[in-house]
Amino acid sequence: MSLTPKTIQIFLPGGDPQGIRVAEITTRIVQVLEVPRSLLGDFLKMPESCQVAVYFLFGESEDGEDQKVYIGQTGDLRSRLVSHNKEKAFWQRALVLISRTNSLTQTHGLFLEWNCIQTATKAGRYALENGNTGSKPHTPAPLEADCLEIFETGQVLLSTLGFPLFDPVAKPAANPATDEVFFCTASGANGRGLYTQEGFVVLKGSTGRRDSVPSIIGTAGERFRLRLIETGVVRVEGDSIVFEKDHLIRSPSMAALALMGRTSNGWIDWKTKDGKTLDAVKRQAVG
């Protein structure tokens, strides 16, 4: 995604910020419409529901722990969404990518669907409800270039609406002077991580202690650690755990607990290579 400045317009057809929202970059033809499932009937009355579209159904697992998405494309959006409303229980919001000029074709849709599935799988933020990732459709080079530009716009708009489906949790450091790697080495851990706008990212390959200390047995902290194992974020290796991928955790303290198996003040336990705490670098330095 290009980090150049952008102007994004969000239109509320019903005047409700929690209702249907239409987002667009003002200089481009792509729109993304966010549709709460409860307002699907209202969306189906809108002319935008008649277009060729790429769509995303977002929801959660029953326990609320896992975020899920289904990615599709269609030339008959109304019928497809009506079908998904009857047959798929997990989703709460549909996001629909269309062209303001009604210029998307089925060929656009097939390539965009494939590219979206590949990129979302690589980012690993959401569990995909699609049965398979499919194979790359034949797309002429000029059309593929169009699709990649459309995809980039869609990526920005989805993130702006609160669905960073395609964004890796650990982005390349934009400023090496400030985007530092932090280390957690207490209690047998050997963790590496990044403090980001969304939370704390524990980096792939970080290791920690397999067993939790008695004081957190039966608590939310132990359940969190077990969940990381159950979902494949970490693997057990003897007396240790190993992070299988970069993983976003909302707080530095929970990130440290995941590695050390005990309660932690992550602002103190995460440190730079020269020993400065996360607190000193990111909180005390502000102002």
Side-chain angles (χ1 to χ4, degrees):
M1 185 197 312
S2 169
L3 296 181
T4 56
K6 298 171 180 66
T7 299
I8 294 174
Q9 175 177 285
I10 297 179
F11 173 58
L12 309 176
D16 182 359
Q18 302 303 315
I20 296 173
R21 300 195 290 173
V22 184
E24 62 183 59
I25 295 177
T26 54
T27 56
R28 302 184 189 178
I29 65 170
V30 174
Q31 289 182 322
V32 171
L33 293 90
E34 179 184 357
V35 183
R37 189 168 187 167
S38 61
L39 297 179
L40 180 60
D42 292 346
F43 171 69
L44 297 180
K45 298 174 185 176
M46 296 171 61
E48 289 86 349
S49 68
C50 299
Q51 295 197 31
V52 173
V54 179
Y55 63 91
F56 311 85
L57 307 180
F58 287 96
E60 297 177 341
S61 58
E62 291 186 4
D63 59 10
E65 293 288 340
D66 296 322
Q67 294 180 305
K68 296 184 174 185
V69 66
Y70 179 88
I71 301 172
Q73 63 80 32
T74 182
D76 188 357
L77 185 58
R78 288 181 175 177
S79 296
R80 186 67 61 85
L81 290 181
V82 168
S83 175
H84 288 325
N85 192 41
K86 293 177 180 177
E87 299 171 2
K88 294 187 183 296
F90 79 94
W91 63 280
Q92 287 93 40
R93 303 185 92 79
L95 278 86
V96 178
L97 184 153
I98 62 170
S99 162
R100 286 194 292 110
T101 58
N102 204 357
S103 56
L104 289 186
T105 67
Q106 202 78 38
T107 306
H108 284 105
L110 289 169
F111 180 88
L112 285 165
E113 177 189 43
W114 172 84
N115 190 57
C116 287
I117 291 172
Q118 302 303 310
T119 311
T121 300
K122 185 176 180 180
R125 285 180 177 265
Y126 293 77
L128 262 69
E129 288 288 290
N130 295 71
N132 58 73
T133 59
S135 56
K136 182 179 179 180
H138 172 70
T139 310
L143 192 59
E144 182 172 329
D146 284 346
C147 287
L148 292 175
E149 185 173 328
I150 292 166
F151 171 81
E152 181 183 7
T153 303
Q155 178 181 9
V156 172
L157 296 176
L158 283 167
S159 293
T160 299
L161 291 168
F163 300 88
L165 174 62
F166 306 118
D167 302 343
V169 294
K171 301 178 179 67
N175 185 347
T178 57
D179 295 347
E180 297 182 76
V181 175
F182 291 87
F183 300 86
C184 178
T185 56
S187 300
N190 186 13
R192 298 166 55 250
L194 301 173
Y195 183 61
T196 75
Q197 295 128 313
E198 297 178 85
F200 199 90
V201 177
V202 180
L203 296 177
K204 179 180 179 180
S206 294
T207 61
R209 185 168 62 185
R210 166 65 181 92
D211 294 330
S212 299
V213 299
S215 61
I216 72 165
I217 299 297
T219 69
E222 186 200 26
R223 292 192 292 272
F224 174 66
R225 299 190 83 223
L226 293 173
R227 184 72 178 176
L228 293 176
I229 296 171
E230 292 168 1
T231 55
V233 173
V234 305
R235 73 174 189 274
V236 176
E237 198 172 90
D239 295 332
S240 300
I241 57 170
V242 182
F243 273 74
E244 293 279 71
K245 61 180 182 178
D246 298 337
H247 186 67
L248 175 66
I249 298 175
R250 294 303 175 186
S251 80
S253 294
M254 286 301 289
L257 178 146
L259 291 166
M260 297 190 294
R262 62 168 175 81
T263 55
S264 163
N265 181 346
W267 292 97
I268 302 301
D269 285 325
W270 288 102
K271 300 176 181 178
T272 64
K273 62 182 178 182
D274 56 359
K276 294 179 182 177
T277 65
L278 177 63
D279 179 71
V281 174
K282 295 296 185 181
R283 291 204 300 191
Q284 302 306 323
V286 175

